[in-house]
Amino acid sequence: MDFNDTAPEAEYRAKARAWLEANIGEYREPTEFGRGHADFVRHSKIWQKKKYDAGYTGITWPKSMGGQGLGPMNSIIYNQEESRFHAPTGLYAIGLGMCIPTVFSHGTPELIERYVAKALSGVEVWCQLFSEPIAGSDLAGIRTKAVKDGDTWTIDGQKVWTTNAHLSDFGIIVCRTDPSKPKHKGLTMFIVDMHAPGVEARPLKQMSGGADFNEVFFTNVKVHDSHRVGAEGDGWKVALTTLMNERLAVGGKPSHAPGYKTLMTLAAGIQTDNGPAIAQSTVRERIASTYIADEGIKLTQMRAQSALSRGEMPGPEQSISKVVVAKTMQDLASFAMDLNQSSGVVTDGSNPELNRLQGSYMASAGLRIAGGTDEILRNIIAERVLGLPGDMRPDKDTPYNEIKAM
Amino acid sequence: MNFDFSDDAKTMRESARKFLDANAGAAIARKSMNGTATYDADLWKAVIDLGWTAARVPEEFGGVGLTAEESCVLAEEAGRSLAPIPLTSVLAATEALLRAGSKEQQARWLPGIAEGKVIACVGWGEGNAASPSTAALTVKDGKASGVKLPIADLLGAQLAIITANGPKGVQLYLVDLGGAGVKTELVETLDLVRRSGKLTLDNAAVEALGDADAYQDWLDRAAILAAFEALGTTAASMDMTVAYAKDRVAFGQRIGRYQGVKHKCADMYIKLELARAHALHGAWAMGADAGELRQAASAARVASLDALSFTAEETVQLHGGIGFTWESDCQFYYRRNRQLASALGSSAWWADRLVRALERRNAA
């Protein structure tokens, strides 16, 4: 048993590290060009192009798709090295992590030729248009419709929680094309031009104050049939490809998020009626439980990496990751604010460490929902890992246009 | 990265599981509960013949000289099967002799352990001791008088490894249970399958096994073995509950369909896998003599007890009324949960030990 890279892994790590050291530039330290900054897109595009030219994009993609044709360990290693810095990468996570793999798994050669390279080099930004006000956890309940007339489809409806829609050039969208079929069967996926007439992305202000995602309205939007991804009625099957990639993408703890070390630092500096907070057994038990969750997920990921490194599939234990990480972040932040007593709610910038925890408190509420709620993830663990029977779904076999709530 | 058991350890785990599935389990546990024997002699003999007591003993002392990983997988399978045999006591005692024993002490005891002629057990409790760091028992001129309890698998054992105050604090001592001034008797505990005993010393000869530091080092290693045992017990308890939830029907459907039920099963799995990651980290630290040993062992201990207590309690709960009956197997896990929780110091004590280790590391 060991935690070391194999020789080829070490070689790849050294190469990636050397390239990053030479090219990271101003992203060595935290920058202000995060999401929401006016220059976010410009910086993201410059960094993506640099990586593309150097061969650090599409690391696991086939060479025929412009990727590097390497294994998952190479991608993990590059990401580990890159996350030591503060490069702007978030703009492409969804497009390259979910949308484009769906396009090259199910799209025509023409679509692949037109879109894949431009996405990978960062010239064009993509978003994923699945969720709707009425279709969140129950994603197949999609209402946005696409109606065919000759070679042209007309899309009408509304999507929501669409990350980066306001910054995107294209999106993959799932629409209802046959409401007379049961809900999973009448769906079709398309590529839609986000600059087309009738597409309106309205940033949705989150309770945390940020605006990472949008509601997107489609009014009489025309899409040519050549931009269909997969067969008519196969939209659910195609979407599952995307979602499988999403579960891999939304998982671990956000890098640079507060953890048990934050709690230790904080507790060492706070006095209680009974002495330093860090000497209190209740505080020590919370440090221990936070450590167990944070490090337990890290170690679980190492188990998966060990399988990948041997060329095997990771075990099902990977599925616990997000459900543990998100709630641990929330609990840690709450507890840390409690330790600060009445000043725990003061957000005036006078205590940067505390402000980070407050940010984490607000963000974690979203993380517990995004990419599969805690409840849906528990269903998945229970049903797919433990083999328990699925929930009763009374609308499963009913034609979509005849579904009534029970 | 190769953060996983070796192929040899995995092979041993498979064969141990196969054997114990066929020869141990709830029915054998019930036989033990209903009987008076201190352990299941037939099963223990078969285990000795399979070489499990010799696995970790070096070849020079008549053993096979396998690694800590093999001990970890054996502890896990023993925990899964609830086998009423002193295997995990012997594994922990072997580790103490290996780490803290002189060549003479090893030569005296390890060959007997390997052959199965010596059953060894370990104990720190005194009925009122605050934690594994404290002891009332004090050794003077190689003799001690006092009481240790409860000690799992004491009855039927030939060797006890106990804690007492030594020259530099609490440490381990060897007690030859055949010696003068040594008395053993049954002490009733919550666990009705695995018997515990009370050891009374009346000016009895005891022999120092290493020093205070060696005791602390052994505690970490014992905690890792205990974590694997707890993992096995947790997994068996979860498996039984999941099987029941797939079978039991209420309101016209199998209860596993209800989120109130299935989410608890999912939480069992989440806690089990978090604990498994930490236990595996411990197995690595133990084999590599890594600086992170204390941190890894403490986390493995706390995480495994969290998984076990949640799972054992919800196992009874999800079985409903039938789970609360004497005839149900739920009680084995529910009782064993407290046995394992108290055997090596409480979860809170180990949580504190974990934070101490983290503080030392941060200061370094």
Side-chain angles (χ1 to χ4, degrees), chain B residues 4-214:
Chain B
D4 196 0
F5 281 122
S6 67
D7 288 343
D8 285 350
K10 284 183 191 166
T11 304
M12 176 156 245
R13 180 169 63 190
E14 290 319 306
S15 69
R17 185 171 306 181
K18 214 169 145 193
F19 173 80
L20 291 169
D21 275 354
N23 296 283
I28 299 294
R30 188 166 293 276
K31 198 178 114 195
S32 167
M33 178 174 79
N34 292 337
T36 53
T38 51
Y39 59 89
D40 187 317
D42 293 341
L43 185 58
W44 184 235
K45 180 168 184 316
V47 161
I48 291 163
D49 291 345
L50 286 167
W52 295 357
T53 58
R56 181 75 171 123
V57 174
E59 288 178 35
E60 60 174 312
F61 300 119
V64 189
L66 298 180
T67 68
E69 290 187 22
E70 278 80 8
S71 285
C72 290
V73 301
L74 286 175
E76 181 176 352
E77 296 313 314
R80 183 189 308 273
S81 71
L82 301 167
I85 52 173
L87 181 62
T88 52
S89 291
V90 167
L91 292 173
T94 303
E95 215 59 42
L97 285 160
L98 283 176
R99 296 294 304 178
S102 65
K103 277 278 172 231
E104 291 71 28
Q105 288 170 328
Q106 291 175 347
R108 173 155 180 223
W109 293 108
L110 287 175
I113 287 176
E115 279 180 90
K117 288 187 178 150
V118 171
I119 291 174
C121 57
V122 296
W124 62 272
E126 297 179 339
N128 56 0
S131 79
S133 311
T134 61
L137 195 69
T138 298
V139 176
K140 263 195 199 137
D141 304 326
K143 304 267 177 150
S145 295
V147 165
K148 299 301 273 192
L149 90 155
I151 301 179
D153 304 315
L154 175 69
L155 307 175
Q158 287 72 41
L159 172 67
I161 298 177
I162 60 162
T163 57
N165 286 300
K168 282 192 291 179
V170 177
Q171 66 156 79
L172 295 173
Y173 286 89
L174 296 169
V175 182
D176 183 340
L177 295 171
V182 174
K183 191 173 98 182
T184 63
E185 61 200 299
L186 179 75
V187 58
E188 289 182 0
T189 65
L190 215 50
D191 191 332
L192 304 177
V193 175
R194 194 174 182 192
R195 302 271 193 281
S196 290
K198 173 180 171 184
L199 173 66
T200 308
L201 303 178
D202 180 9
N203 203 30
V206 301
E207 187 181 312
L209 180 66
D211 58 13
D213 289 342

Side-chain angles (χ1 to χ4, degrees), chain A residues 289-291 293-294 323-333 364:
Chain A
S289 63
T290 309
Y291 172 91
D294 280 358
V323 76
V324 172
V325 163
K327 184 67 177 129
T328 303
M329 266 176 73
Q330 193 172 44
D331 290 347
L332 165 73
S364 60

Side-chain angles (χ1 to χ4, degrees), chain A residues 137-160:
Chain A
S137 291
D138 183 10
L139 192 57
I142 283 166
R143 189 180 270 178
T144 296
K145 62 180 182 184
V147 179
K148 195 177 184 185
D149 182 12
D151 279 344
T152 303
W153 294 85
T154 303
I155 299 177
D156 283 284
Q158 183 196 347
K159 295 289 176 177
V160 76

Side-chain angles (χ1 to χ4, degrees), chain A residues 1-6 9 73 80 260-261 264 278 283-285 287-289 291-297 299-303 305-307 309-310 312 315-320 323-324 374-379 381-383 385-392, chain B residues 1-6 10 69 238-239 241-243 245-246 252-259 261-267 269-270 273-274 276-278 280-281 283-284 288 295-296 298-300 302-303 347-348 350-356 358-359 361-362:
Chain A
M1 224 187 295
D2 67 69
F3 293 95
N4 307 328
D5 287 336
T6 63
E9 286 166 2
M73 276 313 293
Q80 284 171 346
Y260 73 93
K261 286 182 191 161
M264 290 182 78
I278 189 127
V283 175
R284 295 175 83 77
E285 287 200 52
I287 293 169
S289 63
Y291 172 91
I292 282 166
D294 280 358
E295 292 301 296
I297 292 303
L299 291 163
T300 301
Q301 285 168 344
M302 288 177 180
R303 289 177 65 196
Q305 287 170 28
S306 300
S309 181
R310 287 194 302 264
E312 296 165 11
E317 63 274 5
Q318 279 304 91
S319 58
I320 72 171
V323 76
V324 172
D374 285 4
E375 291 72 25
I376 289 290
L377 294 178
R378 282 188 167 83
N379 282 355
I381 291 169
E383 293 169 22
V385 181
L386 301 177
L388 287 164
D391 270 336
M392 288 296 257
Chain B
M1 185 170 302
N2 184 21
F3 181 45
D4 196 0
F5 281 122
S6 67
K10 284 183 191 166
E69 290 187 22
M238 178 182 83
D239 289 349
T241 307
V242 168
K246 286 178 187 175
Q253 55 180 327
R254 288 170 288 160
I255 61 169
R257 282 197 197 277
Y258 296 109
Q259 294 192 343
V261 172
K262 73 166 51 160
H263 286 188
K264 280 189 174 169
C265 295
D267 284 336
Y269 180 78
I270 290 167
E273 289 306 319
L274 275 180
R276 190 182 302 284
H278 285 290
L280 200 59
H281 191 214
W284 164 78
Q295 172 184 335
S298 304
V302 177
S347 178
W350 282 93
D352 182 65
R353 189 172 172 93
L354 168 60
V355 178
R356 272 176 215 273
L358 297 175
E359 284 170 328
R361 196 197 54 189
N362 291 349

Side-chain angles (χ1 to χ4, degrees), chain A residues 95-320:
Chain A
L96 301 180
M98 303 178 219
C99 302
I100 300 298
T102 308
V103 171
F104 69 62
S105 299
H106 299 280
T108 60
E110 291 74 24
L111 291 178
I112 291 167
E113 171 70 25
R114 163 62 188 86
Y115 290 111
V116 173
K118 281 226 163 90
L120 194 58
S121 58
V123 175
E124 291 170 350
V125 179
W126 284 66
C127 62
Q128 181 227 76
L129 299 145
F130 286 13
S131 297
E132 296 187 5
I134 201 170
S137 291
D138 183 10
L139 192 57
I142 283 166
R143 189 180 270 178
T144 296
K145 62 180 182 184
V147 179
K148 195 177 184 185
D149 182 12
D151 279 344
T152 303
W153 294 85
T154 303
I155 299 177
D156 283 284
Q158 183 196 347
K159 295 289 176 177
V160 76
W161 323 129
T162 316
T163 306
N164 292 339
H166 59 306
L167 306 174
S168 290
D169 301 298
F170 297 95
I172 53 173
I173 185 169
V174 183
C175 300
R176 186 156 306 281
T177 48
D178 188 351
S180 70
K181 295 233 171 76
K183 64 181 189 176
H184 291 84
K185 304 227 165 101
L187 300 171
T188 305
M189 187 183 285
F190 303 93
I191 292 173
V192 62
D193 179 348
M194 294 299 286
H195 306 297
V199 179
E200 189 197 352
R202 292 184 202 155
L204 197 64
K205 193 166 178 185
Q206 299 143 212
M207 76 174 199
S208 57
D212 296 334
F213 45 51
N214 302 264
E215 27 183 14
V216 188
F217 295 86
F218 294 85
T219 313
N220 202 23
V221 175
K222 305 294 181 193
V223 172
H224 192 265
D225 191 51
S226 62
H227 278 55
R228 180 169 36 79
V229 182
E232 232 180 289
D234 270 358
W236 182 251
K237 206 176 82 189
V238 177
L240 287 182
T241 312
T242 318
L243 295 174
M244 261 163 50
N245 285 306
E246 177 170 33
R247 297 260 148 75
L248 292 174
V250 186
K253 190 171 150 184
S255 57
H256 312 294
Y260 73 93
K261 286 182 191 161
T262 319
L263 188 52
M264 290 182 78
T265 310
L266 197 68
I270 289 178
Q271 288 295 319
T272 72
D273 294 352
N274 303 311
I278 189 127
Q280 314 299 316
S281 63
T282 48
V283 175
R284 295 175 83 77
E285 287 200 52
R286 288 304 283 262
I287 293 169
S289 63
T290 309
Y291 172 91
I292 282 166
D294 280 358
E295 292 301 296
I297 292 303
K298 233 191 244 175
L299 291 163
T300 301
Q301 285 168 344
M302 288 177 180
R303 289 177 65 196
Q305 287 170 28
S306 300
L308 292 170
S309 181
R310 287 194 302 264
E312 296 165 11
M313 282 293 285
E317 63 274 5
Q318 279 304 91
S319 58
I320 72 171

